[in-house]
Amino acid sequence: MNDAVAVPSNFISDIVADDIERGTWSGRVQTRFPPEPNGYLHIGHAKAIVVDFGTAEDFGGTCFLRFDDTNPETEEETFVDSIAGDIAWLGYQPAEVRHASDYFEQLYTWAEDLIARGLAYVDDQDGEAISAGRGGYGKPGVESPFRNREPAESLELFRRMRAGEFADGTRVLRARIDMSHENMQLRDPIMYRIRNIAHHRTGTEWAIYPTYDWAHGQSDAIEGVTHSICTLEFESHRPLYEWFLSHLELETAPPRQIEFARLEFTHTVTSKRRLAKLVADQRVDGWDDARMPTLSGLRRRGYPALAIRNFCREVGTTRTNSRHSIEALESYVRKVHNALAQRRMAVLRPLRLVLDNWPVDADGNPAVEHFEVANNPERPEDGTRLVAFSGTLWIEQEDFAEVPPPKYFRLSPGREVRLRGAYLITAVGVDKDADGNVVTVHATYDPESKGGTAADGRKVKSTMHWVSDAHAVDANVALYQRLFSAEAPGERTGEALDDLNPTSREILTGCKLEAALAQAAPGEVVQFERLGYFAVDPDEPALFHRTVGLRDEWAAIQKRKG
Ligand code: ATP
Ligand code: MG
């Protein structure tokens, strides 16, 4: 390994570095990311992607994308496409794209070989009997009455299983290992089950499908994977992974399975099954709803791939399960946008403001002025833009109070405030509708305060954003709260969906945006001054999603912890 390359140290890179030094696989490093195409990728998968692709990258190796497509009931081509797209969006390029189904024939041949050697047998028991016969912890299993049938008989039945002669669930192929092994995974695990169902790639060619355990390690070996990195729930499967590989004739050293802790967050779930249920029950608009923790949902919401990658790398890779604060991830998102997002003005809940002393031009129309405003004070190279200002404006409803409560320093009758970058104004009166609601605030502006600074140096306590009515563009803005109100969804009742927040989204219509926002590109994220970061919907140009607010709640949480 080149010492100049900075490899973030964690137990996985230590293992890989050690293998390189010992010359296992002649120093080669090859990993794979193996999603099952039965749903969209979520933020937990991002962690696996960063570990799988990142580890290969750090050591000059390669990483394959392998679709683990061994359950035809739940798998679909649309999921294959979304997964490939999400990986590319995250910034990774697989050296090759493979499918476990590419190996069905080889797996079958190997299975026949194990049967011939007495290492696998066809079991005619049904699922219930098999599972009862497995025993439990501290309770040995019971051997199947078919366990000692002749290899020739198993072979013949296995061929007929393949030929589609039997109904689903009537027979399985099992490895013949040890029915009283202390690790349940080794009590004659199932290798094949009968499924008379079409597969999204192999069609009706197969009536039997390999299990995860039989397909996974063998697929790793076929591809030449050196380090097969997965999450901790597969730890107990490792002896089985090794058992299968040790009974095959391989030309090179078998791959090595390494497990790490899943990435989980507060206020959300990272389980495809639960996310699929949210979609099926129409609790969200779809897999890519901006509230979903899917990569496509987070992308719609305005999460940059860079922030997700940085978080996954910097949070560390360990073997201890824990739930991370969602605020920590948001803090990474905010950091990227603070550096890069353009600043704009937008009024979400508009209240009309009329400047009574605003001049009219020679034709009797209200005068228009333009103020030069920095696009991003953090990046002077992003330049400035001109923002139009006139005598009828929009301000936020919450920036005006007819009767100001204590410590309220924004606009109220008789009070002077700054309209950001424009003028100082003083409220002089209001118009109300029949119900007594304020519909228009009247104010006067100080012509000597152009740019927002008074000629005599007097100070005001508050600066407010605004949008000129004649130049505004209308848009809808989606505001979000947590999708799940509980920190650990499901902890209370065992069912995460019981903690779903019924008011996780509020859509504001008729928001007033400064003219430059008409040019915002689909997917672009901008900062609405004082309000947060907002992403233009990729499909609906006049819809903005609030990505995150401006306040760093993570920093506040850290401070409170002392
Ligand atoms: P789910 O439980 O959501 O269905 P899964 O593990 O069944 O997830 P796969 O498509 O099999 O989903 O996962 C592909 C890879 O991503 C596996 O290696 C798996 O270990 C990893 N992975 C899945 N969820 C997480 C997570 N929350 N954190 C880290 N890695 C994950
Ligand atoms: Mg899985």
Side-chain angles (χ1 to χ4, degrees):
M1 191 183 82
N2 181 349
D3 285 331
V5 179
V7 177
S9 173
N10 62 56
F11 79 98
I12 295 178
S13 50
D14 291 349
I15 291 174
V16 175
D18 190 54
D19 278 329
I20 291 174
E21 202 168 302
R22 285 188 298 138
T24 330
W25 307 285
S26 324
R28 230 166 38 79
V29 175
Q30 186 177 329
T31 60
R32 85 286 168 268
F33 173 63
E36 186 178 355
N38 61 351
Y40 280 52
L41 295 182
H42 52 60
I43 182 72
H45 290 114
K47 173 73 190 176
I49 292 169
V50 168
V51 170
D52 292 331
F53 283 88
T55 303
E57 213 166 71
D58 290 341
F59 291 96
T62 51
C63 181
F64 283 19
L65 165 59
R66 183 198 319 138
F67 290 103
D68 185 11
D69 54 352
T70 55
N71 290 305
E73 306 79 337
T74 51
E75 296 163 3
E76 290 174 26
E77 207 58 30
T78 53
F79 296 137
V80 169
D81 295 341
S82 77
I83 289 170
D86 285 346
I87 293 170
W89 174 73
L90 262 189
Y92 295 101
Q93 165 124 44
E96 287 189 35
V97 179
R98 302 284 189 92
H99 301 77
S101 57
D102 297 337
Y103 313 134
F104 281 174
E105 194 64 48
Q106 173 69 72
L107 291 170
Y108 178 86
T109 304
W110 273 334
E112 281 209 348
D113 182 49
L114 292 186
I115 297 171
R117 289 151 64 199
L119 295 170
Y121 61 97
V122 170
D123 193 339
D124 299 356
Q125 298 183 104
D126 62 17
E128 211 170 308
I130 289 175
S131 127
R134 258 221 176 95
Y137 290 100
K139 179 172 172 258
V142 182
E143 293 190 357
S144 161
F146 304 97
R147 193 173 197 264
N148 295 320
R149 74 185 350 157
E150 284 301 312
E153 189 189 348
S154 275
L155 212 46
E156 192 223 320
L157 285 168
F158 188 48
R159 287 177 183 156
R160 291 174 59 197
M161 280 166 64
R162 175 179 182 163
E165 288 184 30
F166 304 120
D168 287 7
T170 55
R171 282 180 176 80
V172 292
L173 183 73
R174 298 177 75 176
R176 197 162 179 278
I177 307 182
D178 181 351
M179 284 309 289
S180 48
H181 202 286
E182 57 175 21
N183 182 340
M184 302 288 291
Q185 305 291 343
L186 292 172
R187 294 188 184 176
D188 291 10
I190 294 172
M191 295 170 64
Y192 278 92
R193 59 261 199 275
I194 301 173
R195 289 279 182 284
N196 289 285
I197 178 175
H199 181 281
H200 67 101
R201 288 189 80 240
T202 59
T204 52
E205 191 185 334
W206 292 88
I208 53 172
Y209 291 94
T211 53
Y212 170 87
D213 287 310
W214 173 239
H216 205 87
Q218 288 38 259
S219 302
D220 285 341
I222 291 168
E223 290 170 3
V225 166
T226 58
H227 299 86
S228 180
I229 306 167
C230 60
T231 37
L232 279 176
E233 69 269 26
F234 295 105
E235 186 176 15
S236 66
H237 297 237
R238 191 184 341 131
L240 177 56
Y241 180 99
E242 290 169 353
W243 188 91
F244 280 134
L245 289 169
S246 71
H247 287 86
L248 303 177
E249 307 267 326
L250 299 177
E251 278 153 25
T252 52
R256 166 177 190 163
Q257 177 179 306
I258 306 170
E259 312 88 18
F260 69 95
R262 292 173 79 89
L263 177 63
E264 312 260 14
F265 286 100
T266 54
H267 297 289
T268 196
V269 299
T270 45
S271 144
K272 267 187 278 182
R273 189 174 58 77
R274 294 221 168 74
L275 297 177
K277 182 138 172 53
L278 286 176
V279 175
D281 295 355
Q282 302 187 327
R283 310 296 288 265
V284 292
D285 291 346
W287 285 96
D288 59 355
D289 185 300
R291 288 167 291 183
M292 290 283 268
T294 53
L295 295 182
S296 53
L298 297 173
R299 176 163 72 236
R300 183 180 293 276
R301 179 78 171 259
Y303 276 46
L306 177 64
I308 295 175
R309 279 202 314 270
N310 287 348
F311 180 87
C312 290
R313 277 181 91 90
E314 289 172 25
V315 75
T317 305
T318 68
R319 287 177 56 86
T320 314
N321 281 316
S322 66
R323 207 178 261 280
H324 294 267
S325 290
I326 191 69
E327 290 88 351
L329 176 61
E330 289 175 341
S331 167
Y332 276 74
V333 170
R334 199 176 286 112
K335 201 162 143 193
V336 170
H337 289 321
N338 181 48
L340 298 175
Q342 303 291 286
R343 273 53 169 175
R344 298 288 184 260
M345 287 197 285
V347 175
L348 302 190
R349 295 181 177 90
L351 173 62
R352 184 185 297 272
L353 173 74
V354 173
L355 302 179
D356 291 345
N357 60 339
W358 187 252
V360 292
D361 65 16
D363 302 325
N365 297 317
V368 174
E369 283 192 38
H370 290 90
F371 292 102
E372 189 174 0
V373 182
N375 283 322
N376 182 354
E378 306 277 324
R379 275 169 59 97
E381 66 268 36
D382 284 350
T384 60
R385 71 189 183 286
L386 292 176
V387 185
F389 184 93
S390 190
T392 302
L393 302 152
W394 296 104
I395 59 170
E396 295 288 348
Q397 286 168 19
E398 63 175 28
D399 281 343
F400 176 79
E402 195 180 9
V403 183
K407 298 207 178 126
Y408 183 92
F409 299 118
R410 289 172 268 174
L411 195 61
S412 59
R415 168 101 38 89
E416 186 171 53
V417 301
R418 176 183 298 107
L419 292 183
R420 183 171 176 70
Y423 285 107
L424 300 187
I425 61 156
T426 304
V428 295
V430 297
D431 295 339
K432 294 185 178 179
D433 64 13
D435 300 326
N437 302 309
V438 174
V439 289
T440 303
V441 176
H442 289 273
T444 54
Y445 82 108
D446 171 7
E448 302 297 306
S449 65
K450 191 164 179 173
T453 315
D456 63 5
R458 71 182 185 283
K459 299 270 182 277
V460 294
K461 283 208 164 134
S462 161
T463 298
M464 298 167 13
H465 61 275
W466 49 270
V467 170
S468 162
D469 177 39
H471 306 90
V473 289
D474 281 4
N476 297 337
V477 172
L479 301 180
Y480 297 103
Q481 289 175 18
R482 305 287 177 217
L483 184 53
F484 292 88
S485 18
E487 248 187 39
E491 207 174 43
R492 225 166 21 100
T493 63
E495 178 43 70
L497 300 189
D498 291 344
D499 290 315
L500 203 63
N501 176 2
T503 55
S504 54
R505 179 172 69 186
E506 179 186 10
I507 296 186
L508 304 176
T509 57
C511 305
K512 301 289 183 183
L513 278 42
E514 72 163 88
L517 284 167
Q519 267 90 53
E524 186 179 345
V525 177
V526 291
Q527 184 190 101
F528 289 176
E529 296 207 17
R530 298 174 67 217
L531 299 173
Y533 296 97
F534 292 76
V536 185
D537 188 81
D539 308 314
E540 230 184 296
L543 172 63
F544 288 73
H545 304 277
R546 174 143 74 174
T547 312
V548 283
L550 293 177
R551 204 166 65 93
D552 191 342
E553 291 156 283
W554 178 237
I557 290 171
Q558 296 300 91
K559 210 183 240 164
R560 247 179 281 139
K561 281 188 192 152

